[in-house]
Amino acid sequence: MNAWVYAYRGELVENRHRVSLAIYGQEGLLAYAGDPTRLSYLRSSAKPFQALALFLTGAAERFGLTEEEVALATASHDGTPRHVAVAARFLEKLALGPERLACGVHPPFSKEARQALEEAGQKPTPLHHNCSGKHAGMLAAALALGVPPEGYERPDHPVQLLNRRTLAELAGGEPLWATDGCSVPTFALPLARAARAFYFLADPKKAPAAYREPLRRVGEAMRRHPELVAGPGSIDTLLMERLPLLAKRGADGYYGLALPETPRGPLGVALKVEDGSAQAREVMVVALLRALGLDPGPTPWDRPEVRNHRGLPVGHLEARLELAWV
């Protein structure tokens, strides 16, 4: 079965975005579209699993981390003042400064936050980077392990070896790795394997024993602070505010979902738009949730309009999804 997002201009399909996805349940692979064996980098969709290191190493307890700080460790955040404040507080607990973050610098995703910086004549810092919480979490894990935090971003650092081992055990297969946009390793898995990891995030009681409590606590932090996981108007935040689920976007068209409550029981989902379109990704995620019996209500990604430079509507995006049930 196939999954596509069609981009119309007028009445003509101008572009087609092919999607592959896998849905994993208690009995294994439950449904798919496209190629569920497609090897794809999780990119930022891996952050909930990387955040498990805060509990596997004891860092959360040692540094007195709040649920807000744990949620930020899972985030691809928009760089709002609140995000920056939580990231700064996180680092203060580690007695480290923003210069220790290896993520680099980019302007805030939030248009309002970006304009506020420009109007104040200020430049963005590493705290504004969407991955600053993840990097603060990796520094905390290094300190808790008693290893040097320097070079925590390298693939041979103990924190990264722990992250790779964690994902391998939850996915049931060894991931490949490359360097992510923020300089730490990113991991690649077949979509069905990644969906297995998200299934354990949806139903931690079914996970290997060592990961049950860390998965539960990371999931609770995300559910209770969805605004920190992304930001106002972002798809992750909107979906988690409206539905009992965990949602995590990743770069280049990737998306992960942990669905604790569906008509078919807890499910994990891994989805990849094969040409990397983020706009098509959002349209397909909403369509998939509706197909699984979860209704988020009206969203900006239901048949969204395509507008030209004058703001005139010239087309729309539309998802077409056929699931193959195993």
Side-chain angles (χ1 to χ4, degrees):
M1 296 294 181
N2 293 314
W4 296 87
V5 175
Y6 290 94
Y8 284 84
R9 185 171 296 271
E11 297 182 357
L12 178 68
V13 175
E14 186 172 36
N15 297 305
R16 297 192 305 169
H17 306 278
R18 186 172 189 263
V19 180
S20 287
L21 63 91
I23 302 171
Y24 200 96
Q26 184 174 352
E27 304 302 322
L29 182 65
L30 182 66
Y32 65 91
D35 180 8
T37 69
R38 191 183 195 281
L39 191 62
S40 303
Y41 288 108
L42 277 73
R43 305 296 295 274
S44 285
S45 294
K47 287 177 179 175
F49 308 110
Q50 292 164 315
L52 298 178
L54 295 173
F55 300 99
L56 295 171
T57 64
E61 288 72 23
R62 174 175 171 179
F63 297 108
L65 300 180
T66 66
E67 282 191 340
E68 287 187 335
E69 289 144 6
V70 173
L72 197 75
T74 74
S76 299
H77 67 73
D78 287 354
T80 69
R82 186 177 178 205
H83 292 119
V84 171
V86 175
R89 188 178 71 212
F90 198 147
L91 288 173
E92 287 172 5
K93 291 184 175 182
L94 309 182
L96 297 175
E99 72 281 356
R100 302 298 291 272
L101 299 174
C103 52
V105 179
H106 65 63
F109 289 165
S110 164
K111 181 180 178 181
E112 293 77 12
R114 192 163 58 248
Q115 288 178 339
L117 280 180
E118 292 171 356
E119 291 170 0
Q122 298 175 350
K123 294 183 178 180
T125 74
L127 296 174
H128 294 91
H129 194 289
N130 80 93
C131 298
S132 62
K134 175 178 76 172
H135 282 249
M138 291 176 176
L139 285 166
L143 294 172
L145 284 171
V147 299
E150 291 78 16
Y152 71 88
E153 74 277 12
R154 294 196 306 262
D156 60 349
H157 190 278
V159 170
Q160 302 305 336
L161 296 176
L162 172 61
N163 288 338
R164 183 171 181 172
R165 184 170 67 251
T166 295
L167 191 56
E169 293 186 5
L170 293 175
E174 189 69 24
L176 301 178
W177 72 272
T179 304
D180 210 337
C182 64
S183 297
V184 301
T186 181
F187 303 110
L189 288 164
L191 289 169
R193 291 289 183 188
R196 182 178 188 260
F198 278 100
Y199 166 71
F200 288 135
L201 187 60
D203 193 359
K205 298 187 300 297
K206 299 296 195 304
Y211 299 105
R212 291 172 190 168
E213 184 64 7
L215 284 163
R216 184 189 68 79
R217 294 183 67 180
V218 166
E220 283 189 356
M222 294 176 70
R223 271 189 294 272
R224 292 175 179 171
H225 301 281
E227 73 286 354
L228 289 175
V229 177
S234 299
I235 186 170
D236 295 0
T237 296
L238 183 146
L239 293 178
M240 288 192 288
E241 286 175 341
R242 295 185 181 180
L243 292 169
L245 56 76
L246 302 175
K248 190 68 203 71
R249 60 186 174 178
D252 289 306
Y254 203 95
Y255 211 85
L257 289 162
L259 309 175
E261 302 175 23
T262 81
R264 296 176 180 270
L267 300 175
V269 176
L271 178 153
K272 168 70 175 176
V273 181
E274 297 191 4
D275 65 5
S277 169
Q279 190 176 26
R281 173 191 64 193
E282 266 79 328
V283 173
M284 182 56 70
V285 166
V286 171
L288 175 61
L289 288 172
R290 296 191 193 284
L292 294 175
L294 299 173
D295 183 9
T299 80
W301 306 285
D302 295 297
R303 207 172 181 271
E305 288 182 332
V306 175
R307 293 181 175 268
N308 68 8
H309 296 296
R310 289 181 55 201
L312 301 175
V314 297
H316 69 276
L317 297 180
E318 183 177 312
R320 299 186 187 178
L321 172 63
E322 298 177 345
L323 289 173
W325 294 93
V326 177

